[in-house]
Amino acid sequence: MRIQRVSKAVAVGAAMALALSACAPGGPGDSNPTATDSAGGGNGAEVTNSGLADLGDVTTKDDTIKLTVGAPEFISYNGFTPNTYSTYNSSIVDRMFAGFTYFGTDGTIYPNEDLGSFEKISDDPLTIKYTINENAKWSDGTPITTADAVLAWSVQNLNLNKGSKDKPLFSSVSTDLGDTVPKGPQGAADSKEFTVEFKEPDPDWQIQTWMLHPAHVVAEKGGLTTEEFVEAARAGDSKKLEKAAKFWNEGWMTKPGTLPDEADMPVSGPYKLDSWKAGESVTLTANEDYYGTPAATKNLTFRFVEDAAMVQALQNKDLDVINPQPTVDTLAQLQGLGDAVNIQQGDTLTWEHLDFNFAKGNAFTNLELRKAFAMCVPRQQIVDNLIKPLNPEAKVMNAREVFPFQENYQEIVDAAYDGRYDEVDIEGAKKILEEQDAVGTEVRIGYSKPNERRTNEVAAIKSSCDQAGFEVKDAGDPKFFAPGGTQDRGDYEVALFAWAGSGQISSGQNIYGTGKPQNYGKYSNEQVDAEWATLASSLDPAVHKEQTKKIEKLLWDDLYGIPLFAHPGLSASGSDINNVRHTATQDQIVWNAQQWVRAE
Amino acid sequence: MWKFILKRLGSAIGVLFGASLLLYILVINAGDPLSDLRESNAENREYLMQQRIDYMNLEQPWYLRYWTWLTGASRCIIGQCDLGRNINGIEVADLLGNAASSTLRLVFLATVIAAILGIAIGVLTAVRQYSGLDYLVTFLTFLFFSLPVFWAAVLLKEFLAIGYNNWLANPQISIGTSIAIGVVLGLILQMFLGGSLKRRGITFIITAVFVPLILQYTLWLNFYRYPQMGPAVIVVLTVLLALSATAMSVGMKEKKVLYPALISAALVLVAYYATFSLLQNANAWVLIFGAILSVVIPGLVGWFMGGRLKRIAAGVSVTVGFVGAGLTVIDHLFRAWPGFLEVKGRPIATIGSSTANLKGTFWDHFLDNATQLLLPTILLAIISLASYSRYTRSSMLEVQQQDYIRTARSKGLSERTVIFRHAFRNALIPIATIAAFDFAGLIGGAVITESVFGWKGMGELFITGLRAVDPAPVMAFFLVTGTAAVLFNLLADIVYALLDPRIRV
């Protein structure tokens, strides 16, 4: 047989090929890789407060840390327009721009001393003086000046518009500074100092954005000098600014994968954009001309990865830091990796609550029934079963304006709430229902579906409150918040959802005030309105605290709703990465990315 | 034929138009594009909602919105597509370009591999119907077919990426494991090669002894970190190939085929040295050009030396030349591997289509792309393997029942000729249809595969658009997949007509 001969030849040939392939093993003599000891693989610098840790002298390490905050693609250098604003985009661009303040891990506001300082010089009218550091400059060498503050003000100014306020010149996510600070930042365009004067007292003045994008680039693209730009903005000359505004709105939007010209995108923060591979990753590289504490690691690569792929990518060292949605499964997988990873767990500034519907004719306009419902909601059980597996330190939340991990939480809760709804009291609830002749009251709990956790919460409430005589119904609906949906029609007794804390002091006014846009349940209480008005017009933190105590007490006594818990957060990092710290704020795990560094 | 094609094209356009209208209406009613803002507690929520309503024209009636899209999209005919912008203000045409290229890279190789392997397995199992091999392969293909993609991806990552990378840091295979691998491979190989009991036994014993020895030898060579081949191995292998290809086609005595084959093998050696430094700093063009030359030159040699057997001679020479060129490329990959391990310590990644900012030579990037493609390609290929092999098997079995096969056998033709000349060619006809459909379907994106491996392809474009109730990207997705489906359908019909003269019109 021919075939047999051939196959023999092949066998001999294969053996020969192997023998010929090499006479000696390849590579260096010792093939055992030397075990590297990671000395001090702990968490890095000592943490003293909720702000950025002091790392001492930092020299940028030539290394790359790869991380992901989620699957969505990078959008634009300008993440401040309604189209481009997203937490994912912000987690990248926020590394590139310095602001006068930043949020610590518990939402506390800290000044960013790298950029400059500020002080309140008058209470009435509220006037703040900002001083930019002498050496603060954009990465192209242009000094950071008042002109940049004027740009930040202009983009948030609806008075610069094409005819009417709903057609603003600059399409920005934040829009109120034109009315609250009518004159904008005062001071010579090229000076390092400016003052801003608020028309009304604004308790949240510290977190207003006064530093955003480079004014000299926007002015130049608009065919103006920086001085002309500042003059036109202050004069409200919309016509003159049109071209510059068009550039601000669209000029930084590029084809996915191509970055704008480097000259057009100088940065004021520790990192700048280096490369972008569409659909894959964006790499930031350290801004060599940064005037403050330099970045600890030279490159940060943000990859766009789905939650489902994150843990294995971390295990395979394709990623160093991941920020998945917190689920019990993900946590279990991470815990399975043992010492190879550090897991960061904790609360976030988003909190879940049950809100009553106060619309006319609704059963819960009756305070007694609200009390009965509050008695039977098994809050501790919900936290124990649904939240503690993710965050062992989770607590039942007993306030609306402060979170359990914040400093003044205990003081405010002590003043506002006596613990009467801590324990489930079925008998008490039953008694009230019988007294009110309301046994069998239907309670439709509405929420946005699909949301497994909320479905479980409703189930827990049902099994407890049905014993007391309510008839709880799961009214979860994908269109709960949509126009014509359950919430819009008012076809619910209790709404179950969450607010994301923004760090603002006065934002609650929009939720609890009569006729305010976020007061979905149409709650109205004159006293609450009055206390909020006092709070919002004061600049004194002591007053804020006292007012918060009063408001919380009123909302507890009147039972606006029932706070449940703060949402848990989860992230993980390779154990060789130092200084990765959990934060409760929406900045997410990347909030201190400029401090991350791989252990030697 | 032309009338038929034109008629089909006409109805295809009608179908596309109707489907686009339907899809557009479905998408804009698929949810609430403002839902994320409704739950926002930003102070200027109303303003932001109004901005989005204006931007997305949400206040216009559906037919106006559709018309706006249609007029933009229909300009594709004159080469000036305007597919609109997505919810983030990015040109959808740009997104589509990236998504399509990413999906094609992901899917193309997998489809080709699945088709070739699937057809081969199908033929083999049909020829050996109801043998142990048939049962085993049937079992395996059904197992693969029913694998949940998501779960299989997790397993692949666990073993082929994380496990392999860990192993590669210090490659070790214990003697016991090597013997076990040898025994298993021996069992599988004897099943594939078949034959009498004695032959099976010999195959098994040789493999079971040979494989553990190779494994230990390669470990001693540190082959897995420092692979090496060198010109000697290439020459031995190409000469062997030249000999066996000649023997299989016309027999060793036929010098008109043997000599060009051997000359091609010699040319491979010459080319190896001639191109050595060029290939050290290669680029894609060098590889493409080289591939073309490796086909053309041996082809010409065979053609002019083959005389009356010039077709066969050219075929054999091309095979030898092309495989030799392939081996040369592999040799360069081997040389680049240690350097590649230095820039990418854990070669098989679990996510993405390339390593960000990889600094290295052409070969490092080549290896990087290959290692990144490996897992998703394996996954997609083993899943679509099943359909190809099953269809081929049943098609082969059906053809083998035909009268002309019996006639061919009774004429005394060898079994190989009967199977490959007469049965296989005819069995391929229905497979052509399946392949066309399969490819059209795959362009639509392997949504789950893309997402678990972190690729942003067509599937992702569709899902992201749909979740945001953003019609522009979804319609762009439809434009490509819908057109592909219609075109490949048409193509399948034409190929069908070409392959089967009976149905020509």
Side-chain angles (χ1 to χ4, degrees), chain A residues 234-250:
Chain A
R234 283 178 177 159
D237 187 347
S238 298
K239 194 106 193 109
K240 208 168 171 188
L241 292 176
E242 218 158 87
K243 205 175 153 204
K246 193 172 158 54
F247 174 76
W248 189 87
N249 292 337
E250 296 165 10

Side-chain angles (χ1 to χ4, degrees), chain A residues 2-6 9-28 31-33 64 71-75 82-85 158 165-168 170-176 204 253-257 274-281 283 301 303-306 308-309 312-319 448 454 479 481-483 497-502 504 506-507 510-511 517-518 520, chain B residues 29-32 35 37-48 50-52 54-55 85-91 94-95 98 105 150 153-155 157-158 161-163 165-166 169-172 199 210 214 217-223 225-226 228-230 232-233 236-237 240 243-245 247-252 346 348-357 359 372 416 450-456 460 467:
Chain A
R2 256 173 12 205
I3 301 265
Q4 267 192 343
R5 269 211 319 272
V6 171
V10 169
V12 173
M16 211 168 123
L18 262 176
L20 278 170
S21 70
C23 307
S31 66
N32 291 328
T64 301
E73 169 92 274
F74 174 65
I75 307 168
N83 287 340
T84 58
Y85 180 80
L158 290 181
K165 274 199 177 184
D166 56 351
K167 291 194 188 98
F170 293 91
S171 172
S172 153
V173 275
S174 163
T175 46
D176 53 348
D204 293 311
M253 293 295 288
T254 46
K255 203 177 145 175
D274 181 50
S275 66
W276 176 13
K277 193 154 186 304
E280 293 267 316
S281 63
T283 301
T301 297
R303 296 202 72 137
F304 317 126
V305 181
E306 295 270 346
Q312 285 188 308
L314 179 68
Q315 190 186 1
N316 198 29
K317 296 185 169 40
D318 300 326
L319 293 172
S448 262
R454 287 185 187 151
K479 290 194 165 180
F481 281 103
F497 63 109
W499 288 123
S502 55
Q504 285 175 322
S506 60
S507 62
N510 265 338
I511 301 173
Q518 278 145 313
Y520 293 140
Chain B
N29 289 303
D32 176 16
S35 60
L37 291 175
R38 288 189 206 283
E39 288 176 67
S40 147
N41 50 357
E43 275 171 46
N44 56 351
R45 197 172 68 106
E46 301 296 323
Y47 166 83
L48 292 175
Q50 193 55 46
Q51 291 289 306
R52 187 175 294 170
D54 293 347
Y55 174 74
R85 288 168 181 268
N86 77 351
I87 200 164
N88 298 121
I90 298 171
E91 288 273 1
D94 297 338
L95 287 173
N98 286 324
R105 266 185 298 160
F150 177 78
V154 168
L155 288 189
K157 287 178 179 185
E158 184 64 38
I162 298 167
N165 289 335
N166 288 342
N170 182 21
Q172 291 297 335
R199 230 187 110 188
F210 200 53
I214 294 180
Y217 181 58
T218 50
L219 278 177
W220 177 75
L221 285 176
N222 203 0
F223 184 81
R225 291 191 69 85
Y226 296 91
Q228 37 191 331
M229 185 151 66
V233 179
V236 171
L237 291 180
L240 276 176
L243 293 178
S244 50
M248 303 256 270
S249 57
V250 288
M252 292 294 235
R346 298 176 67 85
I348 315 277
T350 59
I351 46 164
S353 64
S354 64
T355 305
N357 310 308
K359 293 197 176 54
Q372 297 283 61
R416 187 151 40 91
E450 275 170 20
S451 91
V452 288
F453 286 106
W455 289 58
K456 294 242 182 296
E460 202 266 350
R467 286 204 183 124

Side-chain angles (χ1 to χ4, degrees), chain A residues 269-433:
Chain A
Y271 282 100
K272 60 182 174 187
L273 279 166
D274 181 50
S275 66
W276 176 13
K277 193 154 186 304
E280 293 267 316
S281 63
V282 157
T283 301
L284 301 182
T285 189
N287 171 9
E288 281 152 15
D289 299 317
Y290 189 57
Y291 41 86
T293 314
T297 296
K298 191 170 173 210
N299 299 308
L300 288 181
T301 297
F302 289 79
R303 296 202 72 137
F304 317 126
V305 181
E306 295 270 346
D307 281 19
M310 285 184 187
V311 177
Q312 285 188 308
L314 179 68
Q315 190 186 1
N316 198 29
K317 296 185 169 40
D318 300 326
L319 293 172
D320 296 310
V321 180
I322 61 171
N323 192 24
Q325 293 292 325
T327 67
V328 180
D329 290 345
T330 310
L331 181 62
Q333 280 179 40
L334 285 169
Q335 281 162 344
L337 300 185
D339 290 342
V341 297
N342 295 327
I343 302 172
Q344 293 89 28
Q345 288 165 280
D347 285 324
T348 66
L349 280 171
T350 302
W351 61 288
E352 190 107 332
H353 48 88
L354 293 158
D355 284 0
F356 294 111
N357 186 355
F358 293 89
K360 229 181 195 166
N362 201 293
F364 281 126
T365 46
N366 181 346
L367 174 63
E368 292 305 313
L369 288 189
R370 296 206 291 277
K371 280 184 182 164
F373 188 69
M375 282 176 183
C376 68
V377 171
R379 296 196 296 159
Q380 188 63 47
Q381 184 202 333
I382 289 173
V383 170
D384 286 348
N385 291 349
L386 300 174
I387 309 304
K388 280 215 173 142
L390 284 164
N391 176 16
E393 277 146 37
K395 283 185 199 158
V396 171
M397 227 170 115
N398 285 323
R400 297 157 185 85
E401 293 295 300
V402 280
F403 287 82
F405 50 88
Q406 286 174 330
E407 226 175 288
N408 49 6
Y409 174 76
Q410 206 49 50
E411 190 187 335
I412 287 174
V413 170
D414 288 346
Y417 170 67
D418 57 9
R420 70 187 100 151
Y421 304 119
D422 280 359
E423 301 284 330
V424 175
D425 181 3
I426 305 273
E427 288 311 312
K430 212 182 229 166
K431 218 173 114 200
I432 296 177
L433 279 178

Side-chain angles (χ1 to χ4, degrees), chain B residues 55 58 65 88 128 142 181 239 269 325 327 330 351 464 482:
Chain B
Y55 174 74
L58 295 180
R65 294 180 69 191
N88 298 121
R128 303 237 196 97
F142 275 109
I181 294 174
V239 168
L269 184 67
L327 286 171
I330 291 175
I351 46 164
T464 311

Side-chain angles (χ1 to χ4, degrees), chain B residues 83-128:
Chain B
L83 298 177
R85 288 168 181 268
N86 77 351
I87 200 164
N88 298 121
I90 298 171
E91 288 273 1
V92 171
D94 297 338
L95 287 173
L96 184 67
N98 286 324
S101 76
S102 163
T103 290
L104 276 183
R105 266 185 298 160
L106 184 67
V107 161
F108 181 73
L109 200 61
T111 314
V112 172
I113 291 174
I116 293 176
L117 278 184
I119 291 172
I121 290 174
V123 171
L124 198 64
T125 48
V127 172
R128 303 237 196 97

